[in-house]
Amino acid sequence: MPNQEPALESALKHFFGHDQFRFEQRSIVEQVLKNKDVLVIMPTGGGKSLCYQLPALLRPGTTIVISPLIALMQDQVVALKDNGIEATFLNSTLSFEEVRSRQKDLLMGKIKILYIAPERLFTSSFHDFLKQLSQKVGISTFAIDEAHCVSEWGHDFRPEYRQLFQIKQLYPQIPIIALTATATQRVRTDIVQQLRLNDPTVYISSFNRQNLYYEVIQKSRKPYQQLLAKIQQHQGKEKGAGIIYCLSRKHVDEVSNNLTKDGISALPYHAGLTNTQRENNQTKFIRDDVQIIVATVAFGMGINKPDVRFVIHYDLPRNLESYYQESGRAGRDSEAASCTILFGWGDVHTVRYLIGQKADPGEQRIAQQQLNQIISYAESPICRRQVQLNYFGEQFIPPCNNCDNCLSPVPIEDWTIEAQKFLSCVYRCDQRFGMNHIVDVLRGSNKKRIFELGHDRLTTYSIGKERTADEWRMLCRAMIYQGYLEETTDGYPILRLTRKSNQILKKFVSVKIPVTQKIAQPIASKEKVTSTELNEESVSLMRQLKTLRKELADQQNVPPYVVFSDSSLRQMAQLRPQTADDFSKISGVGSRKLIQYGKIFTQAIRKFCSDHNLEVSTESFSKEPTVVDKGSSKSDISSTHLKTLDLYQNGLSPSDISLTRNIRLSTVNGHIAELISAGYPIDINKLVDRERQTVIKQAIAKVGPHSLRNIREETGETYDYQEIKLVRAKWELEMPSE
Ligand code: ADP
Ligand code: ZN
């Protein structure tokens, strides 16, 4: 019996150039092809788009994608077009004429994927248009991107998303695929209800972003120097793009100015700039014209730059969820990337003070709790990934081997005696002083103030000389974190004992604290910089390929990542493909990109090899390479079949395809028959009249499927081999399996 499963891998390679599906992509695609409603929850960078884009290409009709952000829509369409896929968007930035012309193309079945903003969906003119589209061309699926926007519980509620329930009412037969990166259960339930999803299959991927390295560095007295050192780590072999987040506009401007002075290419982004300035800076960043963007958290929501190599929080993130989202803007392409927090207690005091200013006690409490969670994250000696995933309700067993705590575990030491000294000192000072004063007393400082207060006469004066001031501060913070001390939050932090303090003073419990080496070496980091280290030659080739990519991207006015991802370039630099066949094996090289860029990239690689006395292939770059068929399926669907499919699904008839491709009509029909056999959803009713199908099927039932000639003798000569082939393929597919 023929292979029922579409050769999805072949289609994946043909359209997108990827060799394999990630995680559950394959099974999601299968569900969508079966017209099931689906909810996909996948972290940023997980590869959500493909889950609706691939099915859109394999089925007749248009897929409608609802997306809230205009910039994202444009990016997606540009990227699709670069893969040779017909996609377009309709939104408020277009002129009336432009909208008309795009709608015309849609009604002619030329477009497989249409992106629209939710507010457009329910205007009466669009409503009529959609009706026409569904009658003339058909709507294969509604894909709802950023589906958490329907939920008031999400972090990005959009009232216009609330209207989306109408889709199910108006088009009950058309499947919906909803996609989001939101992790909370409440929002998930809300999505299913709000969109009226019909018994959806729910896919929840792990929120673990394995390619991200997490670290926290204690801010020293010169944090800018630390930041600079951190950035310089990334300046090495491949200058990767980075985002630096600051809390205030003032801070953003300061840091970006200083970086520029220090010769690092950086631009600011915050609400104080004009729209045009912001847009310009953002575009420069996306196109790799500037390396670093220094921004307030306003930056990032609407951008899609998969190759951000580092995200540094120069100031404290607001809470763990936003930290996960903001740091998650690094490494969307699954290549190694790093996420750093520069953690300073000064910042904590500032935030505490701001929280104290909030009028609503409820809000204050929530903000305080969120702050505490971020502090625990920063202070925790355990695996960073474990803390984050635990926050999202996901179990993770360390070590992850890709965070600072796992790579250089912090020793835990018993500091009970020191803790007793510290707490006694707080008590002797009448619980009216802050950390630095207590440390001064313990270390026997000669500051004037100590003598003025008479604190040199306390029994705890000078009993702590054996520890440095930094060590005492570390202990103090650990005790706050563990609840043995509390610090007032009115902006003037004063240390007070808690109910638990007595347990230490009375020696009921011992105090164990993580002893951070980071105090001594604030900048040291053992980060794994790239997933696969390139040798010197490859690094140099990679640099050249990046320049070539940038040139090609600028010529077409698209971001460089649209041409090829970093990981594709890395593979090229390592494997140095010089023929079409080898080039087509690079991940990210689909059929279209092979034709569009194959020659120019392999030429550059050849030249590099000859300049560096490396082997140069004698074979020329041939035009018709053997792409695809990774051996995963029994059928022999190759790129030439998929080209036919592509045109067919775009509305061309077999004879049009034969003309366009300059191949014989029988070859085209042969392709279509084989695609049917491989399970691709092709509507045979459009190709062969129903009555004729019945006659052919009856003939097959009588004489068996094996000999076309026998079947034709049975049907009579008015039937041709082409239609018999098509119907036979369908007939075989419909046969119950043996
Ligand atoms: P999301 O929308 O979930 O944040 P995207 O759809 O933008 O993620 O995909 C993130 C990146 O992963 C893109 O660069 C995309 O090309 C890449 N990608 C997606 N699926 C695959 C795959 N199966 N193999 C390799 N790369 C993939
Ligand atoms: Zn870890």
Side-chain angles (χ1 to χ4, degrees):
M1 95 138 248
N3 180 34
Q4 288 261 3
E5 292 226 313
L8 289 175
E9 272 77 10
S10 319
L12 180 69
K13 179 71 186 163
H14 170 71
F15 290 113
F16 297 97
H18 304 318
D19 293 326
Q20 282 168 341
F21 287 100
R22 275 198 200 145
F23 314 115
E24 303 200 88
Q25 276 176 338
R26 189 180 213 286
S27 121
I28 296 168
V29 168
E30 280 170 358
Q31 290 296 311
V32 177
L33 288 174
K34 284 182 192 155
N35 285 335
K36 282 277 300 171
D37 280 357
V38 179
L39 171 60
V40 176
I41 292 154
M42 221 185 243
T44 307
K48 285 187 284 299
S49 337
L50 203 133
C51 300
Y52 59 83
Q53 289 171 348
L54 187 61
L57 301 170
L58 298 179
R59 292 202 295 181
T62 306
T63 287
I64 313 273
V65 187
I66 290 121
S67 168
L69 300 159
I70 290 178
L72 275 188
M73 264 182 217
Q74 289 169 339
D75 285 356
Q76 295 265 17
V77 168
V78 167
L80 283 166
K81 284 193 164 163
D82 211 58
N83 275 320
I85 295 162
E86 284 311 323
T88 194
F89 61 84
L90 292 175
N91 65 29
S92 52
T93 64
L94 302 173
S95 68
F96 182 71
E97 288 74 33
E98 186 60 40
V99 170
R100 282 289 288 272
S101 133
R102 291 185 186 197
Q103 289 189 339
K104 213 169 120 209
D105 286 349
L106 280 155
L107 290 176
M108 291 199 300
K110 285 190 186 165
I111 309 250
K112 294 306 292 176
I113 305 179
L114 167 65
Y115 284 83
I116 53 162
E119 54 272 24
R120 175 170 293 261
L121 195 59
F122 303 109
T123 58
S124 68
S125 64
F126 192 76
H127 190 89
D128 294 341
F129 168 73
L130 213 55
K131 230 182 191 166
Q132 276 189 58
L133 183 69
S134 100
Q135 282 159 4
K136 280 199 176 156
V137 183
I139 296 172
S140 47
T141 307
F142 284 100
I144 299 177
D145 209 4
E146 313 286 351
H148 58 274
C149 295
V150 302
S151 172
E152 275 170 320
W153 298 104
H155 51 83
D156 193 24
F157 172 58
R158 285 167 189 257
E160 60 282 11
Y161 260 65
R162 269 288 152 90
Q163 299 304 314
L164 295 181
F165 72 91
Q166 295 183 38
I167 295 179
K168 230 355 162 220
Q169 287 184 341
L170 294 168
Y171 299 97
Q173 304 306 331
I174 298 174
I176 295 182
I177 171 172
L179 310 105
T180 175
T182 296
T184 61
Q185 181 57 48
R186 189 158 209 170
V187 176
R188 290 171 195 167
T189 318
D190 233 14
I191 294 172
V192 174
Q193 285 169 355
Q194 294 288 335
L195 297 177
R196 316 282 195 270
L197 297 187
N198 179 14
D199 185 24
T201 319
V202 181
Y203 289 89
I204 303 174
S205 305
S206 165
F207 272 68
N208 185 1
R209 303 276 312 274
Q210 292 173 10
N211 59 318
L212 300 187
Y213 170 82
Y214 295 107
E215 69 178 354
V216 179
I217 297 175
Q218 299 285 333
K219 258 188 189 171
S220 71
R221 279 173 212 283
K222 291 184 176 162
Y224 176 73
Q225 293 308 323
Q226 288 177 295
L227 178 70
L228 201 56
K230 194 74 223 161
I231 293 171
Q232 274 154 357
Q233 274 186 5
H234 293 282
Q235 297 304 85
K237 293 175 187 165
E238 304 160 31
K239 272 192 192 175
I243 306 175
I244 296 165
Y245 282 115
C246 302
L247 272 181
S248 66
R249 296 176 195 182
K250 190 168 148 259
H251 227 163
V252 166
D253 286 333
E254 228 171 71
V255 171
S256 102
N257 283 337
N258 286 339
L259 287 177
T260 311
K261 272 187 215 140
D262 284 315
I264 288 167
S265 104
L267 282 172
Y269 187 102
H270 57 64
L273 303 174
T274 63
N275 279 348
T276 323
Q277 281 171 324
R278 274 207 304 270
E279 242 165 61
N280 282 344
N281 292 359
Q282 176 169 313
T283 307
K284 282 188 177 149
F285 180 60
I286 291 173
R287 304 227 164 150
D288 291 344
D289 292 324
V290 64
Q291 188 200 355
I292 289 172
I293 204 103
V294 187
T296 54
V297 287
F299 179 76
M301 252 310 281
I303 76 151
N304 175 16
K305 182 168 173 59
D307 49 4
V308 173
R309 297 271 69 86
F310 61 94
V311 171
I312 301 176
H313 279 74
Y314 191 50
D315 293 325
L316 216 53
R318 288 159 305 161
N319 54 55
L320 261 187
E321 166 120 36
S322 48
Y323 182 61
Y324 178 84
Q325 303 290 354
E326 286 151 21
S327 61
R329 289 175 188 142
R332 287 182 63 159
D333 53 7
S334 297
E335 291 277 289
S338 82
C339 311
T340 308
I341 299 180
L342 274 165
F343 178 74
W345 284 91
D347 300 342
V348 173
H349 291 315
T350 314
V351 176
R352 278 210 180 123
Y353 177 74
L354 293 174
I355 293 173
Q357 302 294 300
K358 283 184 195 277
D360 178 1
E363 263 182 48
Q364 257 190 20
R365 225 178 19 254
I366 293 169
Q368 183 59 47
Q369 194 184 349
Q370 291 183 332
L371 174 65
N372 288 345
Q373 280 164 339
I374 262 295
I375 297 174
S376 326
Y377 173 77
E379 282 286 280
S380 168
I382 67 169
C383 173
R384 308 270 179 217
R385 212 168 293 276
Q386 186 183 29
V387 178
Q388 290 194 20
L389 292 175
N390 182 44
Y391 178 78
F392 294 123
E394 200 177 318
Q395 288 288 318
F396 178 82
I397 299 166
C400 73
N401 291 326
N402 201 15
C403 79
D404 52 354
N405 284 340
C406 286
L407 291 180
S408 41
V410 177
I412 305 287
E413 289 179 8
D414 188 327
W415 281 41
T416 311
I417 310 260
E418 286 85 350
Q420 286 165 346
K421 289 183 180 176
F422 197 97
L423 294 178
S424 315
C425 193
V426 172
Y427 178 71
R428 300 276 167 220
C429 293
D430 293 331
Q431 309 186 53
R432 283 174 42 222
F433 294 87
M435 175 164 67
N436 287 336
H437 184 78
I438 305 293
V439 173
D440 282 344
V441 175
L442 284 167
R443 292 191 24 91
S445 153
N446 288 324
K447 282 182 188 156
K448 214 166 114 200
R449 198 163 127 80
I450 303 258
F451 295 100
E452 281 168 5
L453 289 162
H455 284 177
D456 57 317
R457 297 193 301 274
L458 296 177
T459 51
T460 50
Y461 181 73
S462 194
I463 61 169
K465 283 201 145 88
E466 77 281 12
R467 295 283 180 201
T468 65
D470 274 339
E471 283 174 326
W472 283 116
R473 283 195 276 263
M474 172 181 75
L475 169 70
C476 173
R477 284 179 211 123
M479 283 196 292
I480 295 173
Y481 167 43
Q482 296 178 21
Y484 294 118
L485 259 180
E486 87 191 1
E487 200 172 36
T488 52
T489 56
D490 52 1
Y492 304 96
I494 282 169
L495 293 176
R496 294 207 191 111
L497 301 182
T498 67
R499 264 185 278 149
K500 277 174 86 180
S501 314
N502 255 342
Q503 299 174 352
I504 299 178
L505 291 168
K506 293 186 177 156
K507 301 188 190 172
F508 292 156
V509 293
S510 58
V511 177
K512 297 213 170 66
I513 64 161
V515 183
T516 17
Q517 309 299 323
K518 290 164 206 146
I519 288 179
Q521 327 142 11
I523 299 165
S525 147
K526 291 190 187 172
E527 172 187 345
K528 295 197 285 189
V529 176
T530 47
S531 37
T532 29
E533 283 289 336
L534 296 175
N535 65 23
E536 218 169 283
E537 258 153 8
S538 307
V539 169
S540 148
L541 177 55
M542 174 100 178
R543 222 176 281 138
Q544 291 190 13
L545 295 178
K546 271 193 172 175
T547 313
L548 177 60
R549 171 176 74 172
K550 175 76 176 131
E551 278 166 19
L552 292 169
D554 284 350
Q555 278 166 21
Q556 301 169 73
N557 208 14
V558 297
Y561 72 81
V562 167
V563 175
F564 280 121
S565 68
D566 281 4
S567 63
S568 300
L569 290 196
R570 185 187 308 283
Q571 264 192 23
M572 289 177 208
Q574 274 167 334
L575 304 174
R576 302 199 274 266
Q578 299 179 23
T579 63
D581 217 12
D582 286 344
F583 194 74
S584 73
K585 289 181 188 133
I586 299 288
S587 159
V589 178
S591 305
R592 168 67 171 252
K593 294 213 161 152
L594 176 65
I595 296 164
Q596 197 174 356
Y597 302 121
K599 203 154 194 171
I600 186 158
F601 273 86
T602 49
Q603 267 169 359
I605 294 167
R606 269 165 194 260
K607 175 159 188 320
F608 178 89
C609 290
S610 103
D611 291 350
H612 289 78
N613 293 324
L614 298 164
E615 206 181 315
V616 180
S617 166
T618 49
E619 232 177 279
S620 69
F621 182 90
S622 74
K623 279 210 184 82
E624 272 295 339
T626 46
V627 209
V628 194
D629 208 10
K630 312 296 290 179
S632 55
S633 99
K634 284 178 267 164
S635 65
D636 276 330
I637 299 301
S638 68
S639 67
T640 179
H641 290 82
L642 291 165
K643 269 182 219 157
T644 298
L645 177 69
D646 200 6
L647 296 170
Y648 181 72
Q649 302 290 40
N650 275 318
L652 270 67
S653 69
S655 50
D656 289 344
I657 298 174
S658 140
L659 275 174
T660 311
R661 295 200 56 194
N662 198 17
I663 52 179
R664 298 226 298 264
L665 179 63
S666 58
T667 313
V668 174
N669 278 319
H671 287 165
I672 296 178
E674 281 163 59
L675 286 161
I676 292 176
S677 299
Y680 283 89
I682 284 173
D683 186 1
I684 193 159
N685 298 328
K686 285 195 184 154
L687 295 166
V688 185
D689 186 80
R690 278 177 200 269
E691 276 168 29
R692 295 178 80 82
Q693 286 183 45
T694 314
V695 174
I696 297 169
K697 280 184 187 166
Q698 282 165 352
I700 296 173
K702 210 160 169 191
V703 301
H706 305 294
S707 158
L708 284 174
R709 178 177 299 178
N710 291 349
I711 301 171
R712 186 151 181 260
E713 273 172 13
E714 194 60 36
T715 56
E717 290 198 349
T718 53
Y719 286 75
D720 66 42
Y721 282 120
Q722 317 271 351
E723 57 190 332
I724 294 176
K725 251 193 197 168
L726 292 170
V727 176
R728 183 178 64 172
K730 191 77 185 166
W731 178 87
E732 284 180 329
L733 196 68
E734 283 163 358
M735 284 296 288
S737 53
E738 290 141 41

